[in-house]
Amino acid sequence: MDRIKKNIKYRKGELKASTLIETLVASIIFLAVFTISLDTAVRITSVESIDAHTYLLITQDLEKLRKYYTEENFAIGEYSKDYQWGEAVIAIEGYRGYENLRILRIIATIVGSSRSPDLVWLYEKVE
């Protein structure tokens, strides 16, 4: 216990005026590194933005396609539909040999965007 008290007293008397400057410099370095890493992360993960109206239009059109192709019992195959925002490719496949189960895949290609939503549904074919 005495050794700890001596150590504390010794350290208290040894503090220099430069420690405040060293702390400020270290803080500035940490701030710079954090700022650079955050900026890099944002640049890596950012994608071109689609305005809200176009995004809503695409979402509605894809939902209409899903309803149309699942309710009308289309044959297995590939279909496509053009829109003002791009093109939707619809693929209907069988599911693991079950006669009544189908996989509906809609791949949307958006004009002016590198994004290509790929939506997949499993549905039951109604006779």
Side-chain angles (χ1 to χ4, degrees):
M1 188 70 155
D2 289 330
R3 192 173 76 183
I4 294 173
K5 287 181 183 178
K6 282 182 185 177
N7 202 2
I8 290 173
K9 287 180 185 176
Y10 179 71
R11 288 183 187 224
K12 280 184 182 178
E14 195 177 289
L15 290 177
K16 298 178 184 177
S18 64
T19 56
L20 179 60
I21 294 172
E22 290 171 355
T23 304
L24 290 174
V25 169
S27 298
I28 291 171
I29 291 171
F30 283 131
L31 179 66
V33 168
F34 178 75
T35 304
I36 291 169
S37 63
L38 186 62
D39 184 54
T40 304
V42 168
R43 288 177 192 228
I44 288 173
T45 59
S46 67
V47 294
E48 69 276 352
S49 63
I50 300 173
D51 66 327
H53 180 266
T54 305
Y55 182 77
L56 181 63
L57 185 65
I58 293 169
T59 305
Q60 288 176 337
D61 288 341
L62 295 179
E63 182 60 25
K64 287 177 188 174
L65 278 177
R66 182 193 66 82
K67 285 183 180 178
Y68 180 69
Y69 279 90
T70 55
E71 291 173 359
E72 296 297 321
N73 288 327
F74 278 82
I76 293 175
E78 194 168 290
Y79 309 92
S80 71
K81 183 151 173 105
D82 292 324
Y83 290 98
Q84 68 183 29
W85 49 261
E87 178 187 25
V89 176
I90 302 98
I92 300 175
E93 307 167 0
Y95 180 73
R96 295 187 180 181
Y98 294 100
E99 285 187 33
N100 289 339
L101 292 179
R102 300 276 190 262
I103 296 174
L104 174 67
R105 169 174 266 139
I106 301 176
I107 302 171
T109 306
I110 303 168
V111 175
S113 175
S114 61
R115 300 169 80 182
S116 183
D118 185 1
L119 308 170
V120 181
W121 293 274
L122 178 66
Y123 70 98
E124 183 176 7
K125 178 182 170 187
V126 181
E127 301 279 334

